[in-house]
Amino acid sequence: MTHTASPRASEYTVRTAPLLVPFVIQREGEDAAPDNLLLTPVGGPGRYRLRYADEDTRDRDLRGVLWARCSFGAVDDFGKPTGKPQWRMMHPLRQRGTMQAMRCQVCAERARTPFGFIFLAGPDTVDPDDPLFLTNQPPVCARHARTAADLCPHLTRDPMVLLAQSAPLYGVNGVGYGYGYGSQGVQVVERPAGPIPYGHPLLPTVLASQMVRRLSSFRPVGLDELLWELERAA
């Protein structure tokens, strides 16, 4: 009887591809930077503008709103973030960049599809009769729509898909700063319950953390149905 050597255990090792982490997810080690915030008087009494002591042009968005600083961790050879993902947190500046440019929150590439922009929403978050739907979630491209649905802790396997023809900028999520009592200095004095629209009088003293868009001209559709339509149209 001929005996063959048993394969070594390493020959049976199953190598799996690394878990894909959306570009916008904050990573371990990416922390809030020292804020060194100041309030500069503007106009009449009691009117101020929030700023950094060492502010530069990157600290404000296209509408002039000040943004929370957050450090950037190491990147791989393709310029993508590395490090342990903090799944329930979006990096404020990567969220702002993808939302502002309407790029995919997973790969940061162009998000527009032949049918419009794909936005994902959790169950029972959309009222079809409400003309105003706001989202802080950047769009996803067709290639990563299923991936985003699988990875997001707020979504189900078959999430609500909002296929939008337009999604104009609406405002930001953030907190309002002012002077505290006594000698406490500049501190958070307002925590709005929802997004603050651009043009709101509170914005000069707001520190933003997420950009928000308003979906208009959209239709709800099932994810599987949409992916099938996109595949047929390709």
Side-chain angles (χ1 to χ4, degrees), residues 85-203:
Q86 308 297 294
W87 285 105
R88 293 187 177 275
M89 299 174 65
M90 286 190 288
H91 191 286
L93 301 183
R94 288 200 291 270
Q95 189 271 355
R96 167 182 145 190
T98 51
M99 195 63 127
Q100 189 167 280
M102 292 290 274
R103 289 183 170 269
C104 175
Q105 63 171 275
V106 176
C107 64
E109 298 297 328
R110 185 173 179 268
R112 180 180 282 279
T113 75
F115 301 142
F117 290 102
I118 303 171
F119 290 88
L120 302 179
D124 304 321
T125 59
V126 181
D127 180 356
D129 297 324
D130 188 348
L132 182 65
F133 182 79
L134 306 178
T135 182
N136 65 337
Q137 293 290 328
V140 294
C141 66
R143 185 162 64 99
H144 289 118
R146 171 59 65 193
T147 300
D150 290 343
L151 292 177
C152 181
H154 304 291
L155 300 178
T156 61
R157 173 70 181 173
D158 187 24
M160 173 69 74
V161 178
L162 306 177
L163 192 60
Q165 297 304 314
S166 64
L169 286 175
Y170 176 83
V172 299
N173 286 328
V175 293
Y177 276 74
Y179 284 114
Y181 295 106
S183 60
Q184 295 178 9
V186 178
Q187 61 181 269
V188 176
V189 295
E190 293 192 56
R191 297 183 183 274
I196 310 162
Y198 284 118
H200 193 282
L202 180 62
L203 283 181

